Amino acid sequence: MPEAPQLPSPSPSPSSQRAKRPKNSPPEIAGDVEEEGGGGVDQQALLPGLPDHLSQQCLSLLPPSFLFSVCRSWRRLLYSPCFPPFLSLYALLSHSNPSSFPSPDSKLDLDPIGFNAFDPISATWTPLPPPPPDALLRRLLLRHPSFIARNFPVQSVSAGDHLVVIAGTTDHLLPALSHPIAFHPSSGRWLLGPPFPSPRRWCVAGAASGAVYLASGVGSGYSTEIARSAERWDLRRRGAAWEAVASLRDSKFSREAVEAVASNGKLCMVNLRGRGPKYGAVYDIESDRWEEMPTGLLAGWTGPAAADDESGGPIFVADEASGELRCYSWEADTWRVVIKSELLKGAAQMACAGGKVCVASSVGDAAIVVDVRRSLGKIWTVDPPLGMRIMALHILPRMSWAQS
């Protein structure tokens, strides 16, 4: 059986002489067809002497980077819907120049955010299909003249192989979304989730075992009931609606965009990052109850955090001040330093899956990738598309493409 999907290490940078890729075509494949002089797609057997279905089983055991580099037929197979997907990096992007954003009354045809996927095999960014017009994403506000020093967050999570946009703010400082908006890479489609019982912003957002969790925050106005409430949407259940889970003990998470990190069967969160005084809480998913956060976990949570929920992995945190990437042990209630790098100072957001930790820099001008399976933590950077900055990162299966 093939191993679980891994986020591959980067391939060498693609040549600047590569043929231009047509819209909605997978990396490299369309260029290869063009290079054949219009003679059609090469139909050579995947492995001479073997039926293709047996060849696919054999080739699925090989590293994706190897399949990509050998021949065109293997390359096409790598991106086909029937082949086990490797992991890719997905990013929520905004324009790097603040003046690029239209005012609330502007007629310019600009979306405040965009969505791209980075293919680590071909080292290329590909825009996701546009969200549906009724997704209300154009209502999102990223900056406001009354809050010059603050960027307004757009909160998103990855759950059940979906990228889910969960909360944002309008120019009237109200919740921007009435429904979650989810993208499914395998099908290349967007969907609108069930309506929120209480639309909110500046809230707690997380995911565990294919379900999205939403807690606290602010609605159209401050409400103690909303500030203490928590809800779950299970993407694994067709037609599922939001359902209430145990309420928080207090309302200390209602003024910031907070990440809830899933690890060890629990959702963990802190109300403030950095080294200052903060408050932490832990939600036990099976028992549906809130617990005190272990002392060591709270003390070491000094920056953005993430965990590989699918593999039951530990929590990683990137220290904003020191540039340390640390790993938490539930048994010892201590943190271990994985790597220390200047690149990680000022870390803004992070994702973890497939043996990699991906960190968005403070100004969104790079994604820093750390291979945490290696004892010394190999590290490299990925630049965002030209003119864009990274707001959030997620690691999900690569998009699939129907073969010609």
Side-chain angles (χ1 to χ4, degrees), residues 129-386:
D134 54 351
L136 304 179
L137 291 180
R138 291 198 174 185
R139 299 174 58 186
L140 291 170
L141 184 72
L142 304 184
R143 298 180 183 86
H144 192 282
S146 299
F147 300 85
I148 298 176
R150 180 175 187 141
N151 293 329
F152 285 9
V154 177
Q155 293 179 258
S156 58
V157 300
S158 54
D161 287 342
H162 289 74
L163 188 164
V164 186
V165 184
I166 208 81
T169 301
T170 70
D171 57 295
H172 296 296
L173 303 183
L174 297 172
L177 302 180
S178 58
H179 301 67
I181 305 159
F183 178 72
H184 186 234
S186 296
S187 65
R189 296 178 179 176
W190 290 88
L191 62 90
L192 289 180
F196 297 116
S198 300
R200 58 187 86 198
R201 61 194 178 98
W202 291 346
C203 54
V204 177
S209 302
V212 177
Y213 289 81
L214 193 61
S216 196
V218 179
S220 57
Y222 179 79
S223 162
T224 303
E225 181 180 355
I226 292 178
R228 294 189 58 203
S229 68
E231 299 164 344
R232 173 176 57 209
W233 171 39
D234 192 342
L235 278 77
R236 300 166 299 181
R237 293 165 44 205
R238 182 180 296 273
W242 289 92
E243 55 184 354
V245 297
S247 297
L248 287 84
R249 296 176 178 177
D250 50 53
S251 58
K252 295 182 180 179
F253 293 93
S254 62
R255 295 296 184 182
E256 294 288 339
V258 176
E259 64 218 355
V261 180
S263 176
N264 200 38
K266 304 174 187 294
L267 280 170
C268 309
M269 61 207 76
V270 296
N271 64 340
L272 294 172
R273 295 176 178 174
R275 297 181 179 276
K278 50 185 172 288
Y279 173 78
V282 174
Y283 173 71
D284 187 282
I285 297 171
E286 184 175 358
S287 65
D288 187 31
R289 65 185 181 88
W290 293 89
E291 305 171 348
E292 297 292 335
M293 178 172 281
T295 304
L297 177 57
L298 180 62
W301 199 309
T302 53
D308 188 349
D309 173 52
E310 295 299 324
S311 68
I315 297 174
F316 292 89
V317 68
D319 190 293
E320 299 173 337
S322 69
E324 289 182 347
L325 179 68
R326 297 193 295 266
C327 176
Y328 178 72
S329 167
W330 283 97
E331 292 76 15
D333 191 26
T334 58
W335 295 86
R336 170 182 61 85
V337 176
V338 177
I339 192 173
K340 184 175 182 178
S341 171
E342 291 291 319
L343 295 172
L344 296 174
K345 288 186 176 181
Q349 191 268 346
M350 65 189 292
C352 178
K356 306 293 192 298
V357 169
C358 301
V359 181
S361 65
S362 58
V363 295
D365 60 351
I368 302 98
V369 185
V370 183
D371 187 342
V372 294
R373 295 172 300 178
R374 304 193 180 196
S375 57
L376 298 179
K378 180 183 177 183
I379 188 169
W380 64 93
T381 62
V382 175
D383 294 332
L386 186 64

Side-chain angles (χ1 to χ4, degrees), residues 29-236:
I29 300 175
D32 288 341
V33 174
E34 290 179 0
E35 290 168 3
E36 291 174 2
V41 178
D42 185 1
Q43 299 296 327
Q44 70 186 74
L46 294 172
L47 291 174
L50 278 181
D52 278 355
H53 72 282
L54 294 179
S55 299
Q56 290 178 15
Q57 293 184 31
C58 296
L59 294 176
S60 67
L61 302 175
L62 298 175
S65 56
F66 181 76
L67 297 177
F68 184 87
S69 62
V70 171
C71 64
R72 294 167 183 168
S73 61
W74 290 12
R75 193 175 298 174
R76 285 194 298 272
L77 173 67
L78 180 62
Y79 291 95
S80 70
C82 61
F83 197 76
F86 56 84
L87 295 177
S88 293
L89 188 61
Y90 290 74
L92 272 69
L93 303 167
S94 66
H95 299 276
S96 56
N97 181 1
S99 64
S100 298
F101 292 102
S103 67
D105 299 323
S106 173
K107 302 299 183 183
L108 293 177
D109 188 24
L110 283 176
D111 288 326
I113 62 172
F115 303 87
N116 277 49
F118 180 77
D119 182 335
I121 305 301
S122 63
T124 54
W125 286 99
T126 302
L128 271 58
D134 54 351
L136 304 179
L137 291 180
R138 291 198 174 185
R139 299 174 58 186
L140 291 170
L141 184 72
L142 304 184
R143 298 180 183 86
H144 192 282
S146 299
F147 300 85
I148 298 176
R150 180 175 187 141
N151 293 329
F152 285 9
V154 177
Q155 293 179 258
S156 58
V157 300
S158 54
D161 287 342
H162 289 74
L163 188 164
V164 186
V165 184
I166 208 81
T169 301
T170 70
D171 57 295
H172 296 296
L173 303 183
L174 297 172
L177 302 180
S178 58
H179 301 67
I181 305 159
F183 178 72
H184 186 234
S186 296
S187 65
R189 296 178 179 176
W190 290 88
L191 62 90
L192 289 180
F196 297 116
S198 300
R200 58 187 86 198
R201 61 194 178 98
W202 291 346
C203 54
V204 177
S209 302
V212 177
Y213 289 81
L214 193 61
S216 196
V218 179
S220 57
Y222 179 79
S223 162
T224 303
E225 181 180 355
I226 292 178
R228 294 189 58 203
S229 68
E231 299 164 344
R232 173 176 57 209
W233 171 39
D234 192 342
L235 278 77
R236 300 166 299 181

